[in-house]
Amino acid sequence: MSRYYLIYFICIIFFYSCKESNAPDVSDIQADFELIRTEKVLTDIQTLEDFNKAIATHPAFYDLYFKNIIHINPGNDKDSLFAEFINFKQDSTVIAVNEFIEKEFSDFKSVQSDLKSFFKYLQYYFPDQFQVPNVYTINSDFG
């Protein structure tokens, strides 16, 4: 019986201790970043022109994405890369994951707000070592 009282007491202390916030005030810290929803950009690609335009906006990211994440790498031939990308995009699993992402994450404002808060705290604690990055969301064959 005394064991239940101890567990009850620990739970009460735990819940009451969580109400105090020792977090520093970061409201005056700027943490501007760009959130790039690449899964939306890639889903909207229909033509080679759309494809080239997307790659031109963030070439380093897309190079990494195609070669190392979804593993399509036909060298420097953009036509072959586009054809392989369209095959990837038309895969039934990728389509299902894209539909799930669109349904579950259509409103990304809360995630963006959480990221902004996170970056502010990082800048507070590491002012000289941290630079706010851009954030890329992706869809891969891992889901």
Side-chain angles (χ1 to χ4, degrees):
M1 185 74 162
S2 65
R3 192 160 102 196
Y4 291 113
Y5 286 121
L6 180 62
I7 292 173
Y8 179 71
F9 180 71
I10 290 172
C11 288
I12 288 175
I13 289 175
F14 176 74
F15 286 116
Y16 280 106
S17 67
C18 290
K19 293 192 186 236
E20 277 188 45
S21 176
N22 296 328
D25 179 18
V26 294
S27 60
D28 61 332
I29 296 175
Q30 292 295 317
D32 298 324
F33 64 96
E34 185 179 1
L35 179 71
I36 299 107
R37 300 283 310 264
T38 62
E39 72 279 1
K40 286 187 175 193
V41 172
L42 295 172
T43 301
D44 292 342
I45 290 175
Q46 301 298 323
T47 65
L48 180 59
E49 183 181 341
D50 295 340
F51 184 72
N52 289 332
K53 189 176 180 181
I55 290 174
T57 59
H58 302 283
F61 169 79
Y62 286 111
D63 184 54
L64 174 76
Y65 179 76
F66 292 128
K67 290 179 182 174
N68 298 333
I69 297 174
I70 63 172
H71 304 289
I72 56 175
N73 185 13
N76 293 328
D77 182 13
K78 292 252 174 127
D79 292 333
S80 297
L81 181 62
F82 175 67
E84 286 193 42
F85 168 71
I86 292 299
N87 286 337
F88 169 80
K89 185 177 143 176
Q90 292 173 343
D91 182 85
S92 60
T93 303
V94 173
I95 291 170
V97 170
N98 279 334
E99 288 171 355
F100 175 80
I101 289 170
E102 181 58 36
K103 179 182 170 197
E104 293 296 318
F105 301 104
S106 60
D107 182 12
F108 223 64
K109 289 178 185 164
S110 66
V111 174
Q112 194 165 5
S113 176
D114 290 345
L115 285 169
K116 188 170 190 166
S117 178
F118 172 69
F119 291 151
K120 284 183 175 191
Y121 282 108
L122 282 175
Q123 283 186 308
Y124 178 84
Y125 288 111
F126 305 103
D128 297 328
Q129 295 92 359
F130 180 72
Q131 183 178 3
V132 178
N134 288 332
V135 176
Y136 294 82
T137 61
I138 65 166
N139 174 11
S140 69
D141 48 353
F142 297 110

